[in-house]
Amino acid sequence: TPCDFTTAPSSEALCKLQAKSPIVHAHKITSPVLLLLGAKDLRVPPSQGLSLHRLLRARGVESEVRWYPEDCHPLKSVATAADVIIHTHLWFAKHGKIS
């Protein structure tokens, strides 16, 4: 069903959202994580990404945050898109199979 941002979600919807939240499953994460966060994101509050980052670091999992103060959820400005492409490539070059 589509999101309705004018009413609070039901208890059932909140339980489903929480069950799918990365923070709930953070204890299973062992691979390095790159988080790309828009400071103006209204869909997923950036504080959630920062919390995941802190939790992963506390557990010894490598995590990096790229912070985009002028972007929201889609990260679609030209400058941000260029930064995302560059740093995603660098991340996978360091941690993945890109050469």
Side-chain angles (χ1 to χ4, degrees), residues 16-52:
K16 287 181 181 179
L17 288 170
Q18 183 177 11
K20 295 178 182 182
S21 173
I23 200 85
V24 172
H25 302 281
H27 66 283
K28 301 176 195 173
I29 299 172
T30 58
S31 297
V33 175
L34 174 63
L35 296 160
L36 308 169
L37 304 176
K40 295 181 180 180
D41 192 337
L42 299 177
R43 189 175 306 159
V44 180
S47 59
Q48 291 182 9
L50 295 173
S51 293
L52 179 61

Side-chain angles (χ1 to χ4, degrees), residues 30-79:
T30 58
S31 297
V33 175
L34 174 63
L35 296 160
L36 308 169
L37 304 176
K40 295 181 180 180
D41 192 337
L42 299 177
R43 189 175 306 159
V44 180
S47 59
Q48 291 182 9
L50 295 173
S51 293
L52 179 61
H53 171 68
R54 284 191 296 272
L55 180 59
L56 292 173
R57 297 286 301 260
R59 293 187 58 250
V61 177
E62 185 175 353
S63 177
E64 180 182 328
V65 171
R66 299 295 305 167
W67 184 257
Y68 303 101
E70 297 303 318
D71 264 294
C72 55
H73 192 78
L75 299 176
K76 64 182 180 177
S77 74
V78 173

